[in-house]
């Protein structure tokens, strides 16, 4: 039975139909309660464990290739792989078909790389602190400090997230399996496509911004040439926190540049991560909603509602688990963006010496605002989708209005399902407005202290 | 049967009574789900399509004349017609009795007019951007830019709204037909009268303001005469964005004036549109509420509550559909008004050189505040009316308290039925206070940067 | 039967007991729905109308003396009487035992007095506007204008309230009659005592403040004597808005003084009115709560909950009716207090020339803050009391948990019962904090514009 | 039976099992309603009262030693004892095993000590007022005044809390007894350990801060030596409010120092008290939640839910009782912390003359922020824990979904269970964000008025 997944599935379905609805629901509940301990799964693991039946396993996998399509694990595979190139999320098996292949160990090379990067980050951070403490501390001057602390914290959290990842993905897998089937191939691919699109656009814009920042820095370094070596000028400018404390040397410069590139990636990646998890959760709710839409207004049995309610509950639990896992990154991402928008808006009042600066500055500002808006809206979509079943429940005909449907409706009404910033705030559409209001208010107040500092004079670096 | 609508209606009613309540409710649900595909409607369309029975159709229409009174489509006819004179909402058949006559096509003359105006608007907007970017950018100086961008965006959105209009009106029609009958001719006419009154008052005040602006501009142009030609002076003043880039010529001046008149109309119309849709939705809820009031405290069958609940649900769906359709215009209207109130309040601190200016300025300011308040309150009335059935449900006697009544009450309690600004904020009475608070806060902060700029010196235009 | 109210009541109670609970509840509902048309009431009115049976009527009244004790009408009698001495609330029969004796007519002497005062107020207001417009307009200088406009508006609203008063009191009477009986004489008197205490304390503090203002003004007038006549100096100071436009004359000075005294009273009275209505409503809820407390945790029949629910509903309706009647006064009172606290806090930064000024100023400031707090807390108590039945419903034993109890609980949970400022904000305890926060924020911003204006120089009046 | 508590308990349990669930629930309800009048308790009291059976009582106690472990009374014993060393919470029997041993009397020595300290505090406060009024009043200079007023108010409130304490602890005892049994010894000890840990950490940090303040003051006194006596210099600096009015003398200096130490303790203790009560309440909810977790998703009888609901209700009532008792201290603690964070952040802009100052200042600032955050989060945990049963209720299988479970879920959904600041605000996690937002906003505004006052010049004391 284990070697014929297609047949097996059919058989399972037929079994489901044979069972009275009561038993069926109980089963589902039992399964969701004791997830990870189902005989098939454990059996599979045993197989893997003792290394037997490898061939069977493989043929099973090739059939799985299209069977388990549409899962979150599969959709984020490439995203995590990219992250691993930049020393984040060091978990093995991200491109495997099945989440049970995911492994985390402190002894993997990628984990070591990640730890190495964090150590290097820590040194860089110390140098930055050293430099900041030796200057005057203003709202603007602590920018590099905040930037680097955030990145260090996110790196640390991402590492701990990587440790949880195999378990989290198994949870997703269990819950996804119980959800109503996708109707079309298009629906199956939608989530993965959205996620890849977000990753791609985010990365490309980030890359474009980094290129512009290099162009602008070259421009600037030429203008304020301290030494005869243009390359040295460039690195002394972009890594001023290093060469404030240490003497210039090529390896240090390279290390600084690498650090810059990685930092920039991680700075973007923390927003992208929040977006991707949001897209995943929202799409699971949408999968449920699509099913509810199909049967909207029709006479459905109580068991139907009971089953949907349990599925809804499972996704809610998943949402809350994921929230616990990433809400630290969420709060860092939000406060970081809030701070940087305020600073950049303030700096927009400065005069810009060259066109390259202007282009870079405004591109950077709009990219920042756009990214913040995108994170907010994607994260809010989880909440929006979680409320939608209510629409379909409102259209249940009088005759089919059963206690289970009522309970379903009441649970949706009274529960707050949303990603949050460590429970201090929920990510809903209303948040966007209040964040915007906060930015405007702070800006109006901050603007009073602003004096055109001419940040482009040569004695002060402006590169984060 | 089709040719005797009165009899037909009686027959339909009698059929309804014969059916058990259960079937009746199901029917209603079925109808509302499959709206637009009822045999009668499609039959009617077939008749129209093949051009037969024109005489019958006409006599049918003359009877319809008083039959379909009280519909939203009929009430907004003249409002849309006015809008079409100003290149907005290019949809055909707005004055027809039945919404099925509504048509939108890209090839209609009015659509082309609309596109032509938008093109002309775009040119004007470019000229404005050109002028603004060549001066210093302050909170006050970007006023024309914001004004014109908003109008351009609203025009575009109105065009897309026009495309949806026939479908939206059919939805209204379907839902209105199922609502409890009006009791008196007065009730039937109330909505249409309110809408016409709002339109009339809005247009007249806007016209008065425009006249005052012309008087004030003439006054000003005379005082700061750049050339000997008073007409040229006037146009160079009121269309400074054009003549900043181009040389003066009479056709350009005329074009600028026309653009001004149209812009002013559209600037008012976006608020009026939100008000009118709000009035329509609120009056549909009121129609339901009037019926509930009549049977308040009496012993009603479960079927009564079931029917009302479905009708309520239909209006809610309509409300949400209309909100999706106009919420972009709503958010533009609100942010626009918020910005202009802040700017005008700031400008009120300036010294005014002449009585004409003072009168125009304060008339304009109070008109702006009044209009914003009117939009807010009319839009909030949708929410208020949607909550009112709760009052009547609270008075249901114990014996008649059935699951359907309970479900109705719970739905009203837990659902948020209101127009919104793209779901970022809901339009309720509480919003008015928070908007007022925001204006006061921003004003108190902005006031610090204010220096009496003497906007009435001759080197700077103050006409939007 | 009509001539033996005591017996009649007993009989009525006995009748109630005989009826099955279902019928009893229905009766109550019927009565509350058709209030004012009960046979006994109309019979009584007939008697009064045709002037017969006067002796019987009297003996009936003397017995009523202690029967109808505990009613709101009775409790506010003396408060309204005091108001009438100051040309407010011109309604006849406020001290009568029964609210049916209340009468309003435009031809009553007190109504004419009220209209006369309003005309005089209007003249004074015009003089004030005249003076304000001739000076520079600042946050501080428009104080007399705002003060007098508010008083004029409140006077007008109080007149319209007086017209509704007889009807409102009949509504109270009907609802009070159906409420659970008071257990002790102390409970019966509590509301009246609280109301009288509030009135007394409010009046006394207001009187003390007015005396202090006179002392301070005399002090000031002496210091800055413009003429040789100290009395003239005093009046020219305290009624500067009159003598700015007109020449000094004794009658005018007297008129101004009278106007001052009346204005001060009305300024306090609007807060007191809101407090008194709040106390009345809260005490009706408490009456219900006391009954629920007595039977807390016991096994009560469904009819008990049904009856309580209907009584609760009646008080809610009353609350909403009273809110509609006084919410304009509430919003005026709140915005007025908010403005004056801001202004006075700002003025507290000024240097005070004499001890008399200092004492008056701080007494006035703390009185203002205390009064605002008192209004807020008394008004919030209505909401607090309306939520309390929930506590007792939570303790209903499982066996007695019936649909009616559930419905009761749900209604309390989902309804917002509170006085409001024209529905823009609800008067709850949370409001106090947000008002305090608003004051602090505005104050911090306003403080920036403050320069010690030395308001006590002789060229500028500081008396409202 | 009374002498064999273990047996007795077994017997009671067996009795419980024998009773049908209905009766059982009723019993529980009856007990919780008439708490304090149970035969065993009253019997015990009688024994104590007439002084008989002392030996039995003792042996009973030694057995109780491990029986009543896990109670809140036991957990706070040492905390209250510490407080009593600093003249707070003068109640006898805090270390006794059973709360019935708690006694308060005005004639106890500790009560007199407390009153004596309050009198001494009052004198100190008067001296502070005297000094503050003789200087200029600014946001910063009123710091000692606010500090001492708060401490005086908290002392008074703590005295009144001590009077209620025996009764409050009996309430806790009654409710704790009915809660589900702890499963392990670890769970039993958890609450007490957390409380002791909080107390210890709080005290140690406070002690460290006080030491640093002494070091910093010695440093400062040396630098600005007014007299030749270094000890006199030190005391004149740290108790400037005393020696501003009075001449220096050693006893006065000692009194001042003692006052300082006590004030510092009480300033910390008010936060610790709120934390400890929060921990207690949250752990009671957790005790219930642990039980619900054990039976999560299983088929439980209606009686199970009914029992849990009543237990939940009891804890809610306890929560509300404790909130009434300590909410005055809560609001003082929050406003105090808010004010001091604002002041200290402002002062952080000043230049610091020595390393000792800098270390003390930043330690003090971070301790303050940390303490505020800890209070907020511990207090918020009560609300969080009170919502958690909902999670388990969502997983109740369809078959076990009974009216009692539904009622339980509805009550949790609709009730707001949280500690509050006199009901003006609820202590939830959202509050933390809004407090942080308020601090940032106020800070941004206050920063404008800040001029580097060089608080470390010798003419002005900076020690509270």
């Amino acid at each position: 039975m284990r070697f014929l997944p297609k047949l097996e599935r059919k058989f399972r379905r037929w079994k489901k139909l044979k069972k009275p609805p009561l038993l069926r629901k109980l089963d589902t509940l039992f399964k969701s309660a004791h997830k990870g301990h189902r005989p098939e799964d454990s059996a599979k693991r045993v197989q893997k464990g003792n290394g037997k039946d490898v061939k069977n396993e493989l043929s099973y996998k090739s059939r799985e290739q299209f069977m388990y399509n549409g899962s979150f694990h599969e959709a984020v595979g490439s995203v995590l792989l990219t992250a691993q190139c930049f020393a984040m999320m060091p978990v093995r098996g991200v491109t495997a078909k099945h989440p049970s292949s995911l492994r985390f160990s402190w002894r993997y090379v990628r984990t070591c790389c990640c730890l190495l990067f964090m150590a290097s980050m820590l040194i860089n951070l110390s140098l930055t602190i050293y430099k900041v403490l030796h200057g005057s501390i203003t709202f603007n001057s602590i920018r590099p400090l905040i930037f680097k602390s955030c990145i260090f914290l996110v790196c640390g959290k991402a590492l701990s997230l990587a440790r949880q990842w195999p378990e989290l993905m198994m949870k997703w897998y269990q819950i996804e399996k119980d959800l109503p089937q996708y109707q079309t191939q298009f629906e199956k691919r939608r989530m993965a496509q959205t996620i890849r699109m977000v990753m791609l656009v985010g990365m490309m814009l980030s890359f474009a911004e980094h290129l512009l920042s290099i162009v602008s820095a070259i421009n600037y370094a030429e203008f304020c040439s301290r030494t005869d070596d243009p390359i040295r000028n460039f690195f002394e400018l972009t890594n001023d926190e290093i060469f404030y404390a240490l003497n210039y040397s090529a390896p240090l410069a390279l290390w600084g540049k690498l650090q810059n590139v990685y930092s920039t990636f991680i700075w973007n990646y923390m927003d992208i991560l929040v977006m991707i998890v949001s897209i995943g959760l929202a799409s699971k709710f949408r999968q449920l909603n699509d099913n509810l839409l199909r049967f909207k207004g029709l006479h459905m049995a109580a068991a139907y509602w009971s089953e949907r309610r349990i599925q809804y509950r499972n996704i809610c639990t998943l949402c809350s688990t994921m929230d616990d896992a990433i809400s630290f990154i969420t709060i860092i991402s939000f406060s970081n963006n809030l701070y940087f928008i305020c600073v950049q808006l303030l700096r927009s009042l400065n005069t810009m010496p060259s066109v390259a600066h202007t282009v870079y500055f405004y591109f950077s500002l709009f990219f920042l605002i756009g990214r913040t808006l995108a994170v907010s809206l994607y994260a809010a979509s989880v909440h929006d989708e979680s409320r939608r079943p209510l629409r379909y429940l409102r259209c249940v005909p009088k005759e089919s209005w059963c206690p289970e449907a009522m309970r379903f409706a009441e649970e949706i009404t009274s529960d707050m399902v949303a990603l949050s910033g460590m429970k201090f705030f929920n990510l809903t559409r209303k948040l966007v407005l209040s964040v915007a209001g906060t930015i405007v208010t702070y800006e109006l107040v901050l603007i009073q202290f602003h004096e055109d500092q001419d940040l482009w004079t040569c004695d002060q670096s402006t590169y984060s």
Side-chain angles (χ1 to χ4, degrees), chain A:
Chain A
M1 199 166 90
R2 258 159 235 145
F3 315 106
L4 301 161
K6 222 170 175 174
L7 263 181
E8 175 200 331
R9 225 169 45 160
K10 273 188 188 159
F11 181 69
R12 215 154 52 199
R13 258 196 222 154
W14 173 74
K15 256 201 325 193
K16 262 191 192 167
L17 289 174
K18 234 177 51 184
K19 271 192 251 171
L22 202 100
L23 273 174
R24 229 155 77 201
K25 205 184 47 56
L26 277 172
D27 268 12
T28 325
L29 195 71
F30 178 79
K31 280 176 197 169
S32 73
H34 301 266
K35 59 190 168 308
H37 300 288
R38 291 163 46 129
E40 295 101 313
D41 288 335
S42 51
K44 247 186 281 171
R45 275 194 205 127
V46 166
Q47 285 181 354
K48 273 175 201 162
N50 54 25
K52 279 200 302 189
D53 284 324
V54 181
K55 215 191 91 202
N56 273 330
E57 177 71 2
L58 277 174
S59 74
Y60 177 74
K61 257 201 167 171
S62 64
R63 254 178 264 137
E64 257 182 336
Q65 208 102 22
F66 63 91
M67 268 194 67
Y68 287 105
N69 222 325
S71 76
F72 182 68
H73 166 67
E74 198 193 46
V76 296
S78 59
V79 173
L80 292 186
L81 206 65
T82 319
Q84 289 180 2
C85 303
F86 291 89
M88 284 187 91
M89 300 293 294
V91 66
R92 223 183 236 177
V94 289
T95 49
K97 272 289 154 198
H98 200 276
S100 59
S101 321
L102 285 166
R103 290 284 180 280
F104 175 87
S105 165
W106 290 106
R107 276 172 293 172
Y108 287 166
V109 177
R110 50 192 99 187
T111 317
C112 298
C113 283
C114 180
L115 288 170
L116 198 73
F117 173 72
M118 282 183 69
S120 137
M121 193 73 224
L122 199 60
I123 296 166
N124 200 301
L125 183 60
S126 318
L127 289 169
T128 310
I129 292 172
Y130 177 78
K131 191 185 167 227
V132 165
L133 287 184
H134 276 75
S136 70
I137 298 173
T138 68
F139 190 71
N140 188 43
S141 71
I142 53 168
R143 208 155 41 92
L145 188 57
I146 285 180
F147 179 76
K148 280 169 189 168
S149 320
C150 283
I151 283 163
F152 184 72
L153 287 172
V154 166
C155 265
K157 184 66 201 173
L159 196 61
S160 108
L161 183 62
R163 286 180 66 190
Q164 295 171 269
W165 201 253
E167 201 190 333
L168 288 172
M169 281 304 105
M170 276 314 288
K171 219 170 236 173
W172 276 86
Y173 172 71
Q174 301 291 344
I175 286 165
E176 277 171 334
K177 221 171 38 185
D178 286 338
L179 285 182
Q181 300 293 313
Y182 283 115
Q183 294 297 307
T184 60
Q185 283 295 321
F186 168 73
E187 282 180 15
K188 264 195 195 171
R189 282 184 199 143
R190 201 165 45 173
M191 176 175 63
Q193 280 172 348
T194 314
I195 287 176
R196 269 170 216 148
M197 191 267 293
V198 163
M199 183 71 186
L200 205 72
V201 170
M203 284 297 102
M204 272 170 61
L205 286 174
S206 161
F207 185 65
E209 194 216 13
H210 197 68
L211 279 189
L212 279 173
S213 98
I214 291 174
V215 169
S216 150
I218 289 173
N219 208 326
Y220 189 78
E222 218 168 300
F223 175 68
C224 315
S225 46
R226 299 192 198 172
T227 64
D228 292 336
D229 184 1
I231 291 167
R232 182 173 170 178
N233 286 341
F234 173 77
F235 283 123
E236 283 201 341
L237 180 69
T238 52
N239 293 102
D240 57 333
E241 80 282 358
I242 299 175
F243 302 116
Y244 183 84
L246 308 170
N247 286 326
Y248 179 78
S249 73
L252 269 182
L254 268 177
W255 171 64
K257 186 68 215 158
L258 207 70
Q259 202 74 27
N260 264 8
V261 172
Y262 271 60
S263 301
T264 307
F265 174 82
I266 292 167
W267 193 49
N268 282 288
Y269 194 74
M270 67 182 168
D271 285 4
I272 288 173
L273 187 69
V274 176
M275 277 193 256
I276 280 168
V277 171
S278 306
I279 291 168
L281 289 169
S283 91
K284 289 305 132 193
F285 277 118
R286 202 175 296 122
Q287 195 171 340
L288 186 65
N289 291 337
D290 287 345
N291 183 277
L292 289 171
L293 178 61
R294 274 178 62 214
F295 299 105
K296 184 186 168 186
L298 302 183
H299 291 266
M300 305 304 293
Y304 173 81
W305 290 114
S306 169
E307 213 179 317
R308 290 298 156 273
R309 195 183 60 73
I310 291 165
Q311 288 167 350
Y312 182 81
R313 184 55 37 207
N314 287 340
I315 311 180
C316 289
T317 314
L318 181 67
C319 188
S320 140
T321 312
M322 285 313 293
D323 187 35
D324 290 347
I326 67 156
S327 70
F328 183 74
I329 295 179
T330 312
I331 208 170
I332 292 268
S333 148
F334 263 83
S335 43
N336 197 339
N337 286 336
L338 193 65
Y339 169 78
F340 272 88
I341 289 177
C342 280
V343 165
Q344 293 292 80
L345 280 178
L346 259 191
R347 290 177 75 203
S348 73
L349 300 173
N350 293 334
T351 48
M352 313 258 166
S354 72
V355 175
H357 288 112
T358 314
V359 169
Y360 165 57
F361 183 82
Y362 281 103
F363 183 85
S364 166
L365 178 60
F366 285 112
F367 175 47
L368 187 60
I369 292 176
R371 211 178 57 195
T372 310
L373 214 62
V375 178
S376 308
L377 292 181
Y378 272 120
S381 73
V382 177
H383 176 67
D384 293 348
E385 287 291 333
S386 84
R387 300 280 301 175
R388 192 164 300 170
L390 217 46
R391 283 198 204 172
Y392 310 126
L393 278 160
R394 296 301 186 224
C395 300
V396 173
K398 190 169 77 169
E399 294 72 27
S400 314
W401 186 244
C402 56
E404 277 298 300
M406 193 174 150
R407 193 179 161 194
F408 193 3
E410 270 170 15
E411 293 190 1
I412 301 172
T413 302
S414 57
D415 287 8
M416 181 73 201
V417 182
L419 289 180
S420 75
M422 299 195 82
K423 314 262 184 230
F424 289 126
F425 54 91
N426 290 315
L427 298 175
T428 63
R429 284 181 85 92
K430 311 268 178 227
L431 184 75
V432 179
L433 198 72
S434 76
V435 164
T438 308
I439 289 174
V440 173
T441 307
Y442 286 0
E443 210 54 44
L444 284 175
V445 177
L446 282 172
I447 232 167
Q448 303 169 31
F449 307 113
H450 184 78
E451 285 167 47
D452 196 330
Q453 289 170 291
D454 210 352
L455 295 165
W456 308 97
T457 50
C458 295
D459 60 313
Q460 193 182 1
S461 168
T462 56
Y463 295 91
S464 53

